[in-house]
């Protein structure tokens, strides 16, 4: 590491991975309820299990983004973090708010809005914590060098904070509620979070390919422009059936189709940079997560999103397991794999050890990615069957669920593999640091 305060990222990475593991536990419990409908129904109803699963996803990704920012900001700004103590304090606040909200859900205390179920006090604490984070990182950048990487990253983080403020607006009218609700949920994950993704991806490519910063920054500006141009009006694909004017159907269909372009650009960007660069970085596991992030995000967010984003298709598929298939692969590819790539790259440097446990890390990559793909295909097939039986043939919802049992069993099975791969990854990154023997080393003889 070039800067001592880059170690501030370590507790953020640890908390993020702990919450990631907990998210998978709740995900397995929710998947089990599809297979055994009365599973934990008395102790924890399905709506609470699912709420815990989705909220943990958002919380650990945000903490992961914070950790990534604290790690790269000193290098990009060429300046130490303004206040490490403030960083630790805001992490504690954020963790307390997340844990408090999670406990509240178990007692049925929540606001009832999907992804925004946090009680008001938790929302306020999250806001204060995030503002502390933005103050700390923005001041660090202000005192140091400004690059395309840290400016795009901070733009994405500030915009995420701005759009989060709509979480405090909860109108009584359901149509109005959904109209503004999507300004957080959609514009985060398909708008401003893409800026964060592009900046972090650009940072990894600069560090691992050896390609000139100017070349990567030009690509970064193009991707950011495409993401904002398509993502903001792409919100319209959520406005088809909630009582909004009919003009949202062509707007949503057109701009949602264009949302595929920035994800395709990221694939070309990542693979071209590795091809153009030296490609001999010692951290092969980090390279794998980086390339995997770009590729899986394109399919999960781009292709699977496009599959049911046109209004005349979405009329039949919305609210089915097709949506779940898209959501799982998109989040995994775009954000989960990215944070795991940064952690894989950063941890050997934070711990002062050459890249270690890479084989185990790469096994975790392949097992987890294969399981997520299988889960996506399973949910896609289930969604196609569900769409035909429910929306075309008009069968009863509960009758259809009985026809999907096999798909739900397979989805639960893939969840077990995801959990196993997560354990492997966490052990590979935070476990004992075994020094990797270079391939060119001369093996010891019996006398030696």
């Amino acid at each position: 590491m070039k800067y001592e305060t880059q170690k501030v990222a370590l507790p953020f990475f640890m908390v993020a991975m702990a919450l990631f593991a907990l998210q998978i536990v709740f995900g397995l419990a929710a998947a089990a309820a599809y297979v055994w409908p009365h599973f934990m129904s008395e102790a924890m109803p399905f709506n609470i299990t699912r709420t815990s699963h989705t909220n943990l996803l958002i919380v650990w990704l945000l903490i992961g983004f914070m950790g990534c920012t604290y790690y790269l900001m000193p290098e990009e700004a060429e300046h130490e973090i303004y206040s490490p103590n403030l960083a630790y304090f805001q992490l504690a606040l954020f963790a307390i708010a997340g844990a408090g909200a999670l406990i509240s859900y178990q007692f049925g205390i929540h606001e009832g809005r999907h992804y925004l179920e946090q009680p008001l006090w938790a929302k306020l604490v999250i806001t204060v914590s995030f503002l502390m984070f933005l103050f700390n990182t923005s001041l660090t950048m202000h005192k140091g060098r400004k690059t395309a990487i840290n400016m795009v990253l901070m733009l994405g983080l500030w915009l995420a904070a701005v759009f989060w403020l709509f979480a405090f607006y909860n109108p009584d009218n359901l149509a109005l509620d959904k109209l503004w609700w999507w300004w957080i949920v959609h514009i985060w994950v398909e708008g401003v979070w893409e800026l964060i993704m592009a900046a972090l991806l650009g940072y990894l490519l600069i560090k691992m390919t050896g390609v000139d910063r100017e070349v990567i920054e030009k690509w970064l500006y193009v991707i950011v422009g495409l993401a904002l141009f398509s993502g903001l009006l792409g919100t319209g694909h959520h406005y088809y059936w909630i009582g909004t004017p009919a003009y949202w159907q062509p707007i949503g269909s057109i701009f949602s189709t264009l949302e595929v372009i920035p994800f395709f650009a990221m694939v070309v960007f990542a693979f071209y940079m590795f091809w153009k660069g030296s490609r001999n970085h010692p951290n092969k596991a980090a390279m794998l997560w980086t390339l995997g992030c770009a590729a899986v995000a394109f399919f999960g967010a781009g292709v699977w999103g496009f599959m049911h984003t046109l209004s005349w298709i979405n009329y039949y598929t919305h609210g089915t397991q097709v949506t779940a298939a898209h959501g799982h692969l998109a989040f995994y590819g775009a954000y989960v794999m990215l944070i795991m790539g940064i952690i894989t790259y950063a941890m050997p440097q934070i711990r002062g050890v050459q890249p270690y446990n890479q084989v185990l890390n790469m096994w975790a990559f392949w097992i987890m990615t294969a399981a997520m793909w299988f889960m996506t295909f399973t949910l896609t097939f289930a969604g196609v069957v569900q769409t035909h039986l429910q929306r075309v043939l008009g069968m009863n919802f509960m009758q259809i669920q009985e026809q999907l049992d096999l798909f739900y069993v397979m989805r639960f099975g893939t969840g077990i593999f995801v959990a196993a791969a997560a354990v492997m990854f966490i052990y590979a990154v935070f476990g004992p640091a075994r020094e990797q023997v270079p391939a060119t080393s001369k093996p010891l003889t019996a006398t030696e």
Side-chain angles (χ1 to χ4, degrees):
M1 290 192 309
K2 295 181 179 179
Y3 297 90
E4 185 66 24
T5 52
Q6 287 182 276
K7 290 184 178 179
V8 168
L10 179 57
F12 285 84
F13 291 156
M14 295 174 70
V15 172
M17 287 295 99
L19 296 181
F20 175 48
L22 192 58
Q23 183 215 347
I24 293 174
V25 170
F26 279 103
L28 281 172
Y34 276 90
V35 181
W36 303 284
H38 297 291
F39 179 78
M40 292 183 65
S41 59
E42 296 293 331
M44 189 185 302
F46 176 79
N47 67 304
I48 301 301
T49 306
R50 186 177 185 276
T51 294
S52 303
H53 176 62
T54 54
N55 273 246
L56 279 165
L57 170 68
I58 300 300
V59 169
W60 88 254
L61 287 179
L62 287 173
I63 292 175
F65 288 152
M66 292 175 184
C68 295
T69 304
Y70 279 125
Y71 181 78
L72 71 83
M73 185 58 74
E75 282 194 26
E76 289 296 306
E78 296 182 342
H79 194 281
E80 298 284 5
I81 294 296
Y82 173 72
S83 175
N85 289 331
L86 183 62
Y88 297 136
F89 180 64
Q90 58 100 176
L91 172 61
L93 276 183
F94 205 96
I96 289 170
L102 189 64
I103 294 170
S104 297
Y105 301 153
Q106 315 314 311
F107 294 95
I109 302 172
H110 53 80
E111 293 197 350
R113 304 173 77 198
H114 187 34
Y115 289 115
L116 305 178
E117 292 94 344
Q118 306 84 16
L120 179 61
W121 71 267
K123 284 188 171 75
L124 291 171
V125 174
I126 288 171
T127 304
V128 171
S129 171
F130 208 78
L131 288 175
M132 288 179 178
F133 162 72
L134 291 173
F135 170 80
N136 206 3
T137 50
S138 298
L139 206 55
T140 303
M141 186 179 74
H142 175 69
K143 289 178 173 292
R145 180 180 63 159
K146 285 80 173 172
T147 68
I149 299 294
N150 59 18
M151 287 193 295
V152 169
L153 176 61
M154 291 311 301
L155 175 63
L157 291 167
W158 271 104
L159 287 174
V162 169
F163 285 104
W164 162 253
L165 297 178
F166 287 97
F168 293 95
Y169 178 55
N170 188 5
D172 294 331
N173 183 286
L174 186 59
L176 280 177
D177 170 37
K178 287 300 180 186
L179 181 78
W180 297 110
W181 180 81
W182 284 113
W183 277 48
I184 309 160
V185 178
H186 170 95
I187 292 181
W188 262 19
V189 300
E190 297 180 57
V192 298
W193 277 24
E194 287 185 27
L195 274 63
I196 300 170
M197 176 191 176
L200 295 178
L201 193 62
Y203 171 79
L204 286 173
L205 293 173
I206 287 173
K207 292 300 177 183
M208 289 192 290
T209 64
V211 175
D212 289 343
R213 175 181 289 270
E214 290 77 10
V215 176
I216 290 177
E217 288 181 345
K218 287 176 183 177
W219 274 86
L220 181 61
Y221 284 128
V222 171
I223 291 171
V224 166
L226 289 170
L228 289 178
F229 173 72
S230 61
L232 295 179
L233 284 176
T235 310
H237 66 236
H238 300 294
Y239 292 170
Y240 294 157
W241 325 117
I242 64 170
T244 52
Y247 57 71
W248 279 111
Q249 295 193 17
I251 291 175
S253 298
I254 292 168
F255 284 91
S256 295
T257 301
L258 296 177
E259 284 188 67
V260 179
I261 298 175
F263 284 102
F264 179 71
M266 285 188 195
V267 176
V268 177
F269 174 45
F271 280 82
Y272 177 69
M273 290 304 138
F274 272 104
W275 174 81
K276 184 179 176 67
S278 54
R279 292 175 293 174
N280 61 354
H281 194 277
N283 199 331
K284 306 300 182 187
M287 292 173 62
L288 191 61
W289 284 106
T290 303
L291 291 173
C293 163
V296 178
F298 167 65
F299 284 101
V303 176
W304 254 256
F306 174 72
M307 281 170 57
H308 69 136
T309 197
L310 300 174
S311 60
W312 56 89
I313 297 174
N314 190 264
Y315 178 79
Y316 295 96
T317 60
H318 74 280
T320 68
Q321 295 297 330
V322 174
T323 304
H326 160 57
H328 278 81
L329 195 63
F331 266 110
Y332 175 69
Y335 305 118
V336 175
M337 296 181 79
L338 179 64
I339 291 176
M340 294 171 92
I342 294 275
I343 291 174
T344 299
Y345 173 79
M347 283 302 295
Q349 300 184 51
I350 290 175
R351 297 177 66 175
V353 182
Q354 288 298 314
Y356 55 89
N357 292 345
Q358 290 200 73
V359 174
L360 183 61
N361 195 324
M362 289 189 280
W363 269 109
F365 168 89
W366 287 113
I367 292 172
M368 189 179 295
T369 304
M372 289 302 300
W373 268 110
F374 192 88
M375 183 186 297
T376 300
F377 284 124
T378 298
L379 291 172
T380 302
F381 295 146
V384 171
V385 172
Q386 182 183 8
T387 299
H388 181 71
L389 295 181
Q390 184 175 338
R391 304 279 162 77
V392 179
L393 299 184
M395 288 179 61
N396 179 275
F397 176 83
M398 292 308 297
Q399 288 178 321
I400 297 167
Q401 298 307 300
E402 295 176 358
Q403 308 297 318
L404 305 179
D405 282 346
L406 178 61
F407 298 111
Y408 294 150
V409 170
M410 290 191 290
R411 192 260 298 272
F412 180 72
T414 60
I416 294 174
F417 280 95
V418 170
V423 172
M424 293 168 63
F425 177 84
I426 291 170
Y427 181 83
V429 172
F430 297 104
R434 294 190 301 106
E435 186 176 353
Q436 306 236 151
V437 180
T440 56
S441 295
K442 181 174 71 70
L444 295 174
T445 64
T447 56
E448 292 175 322

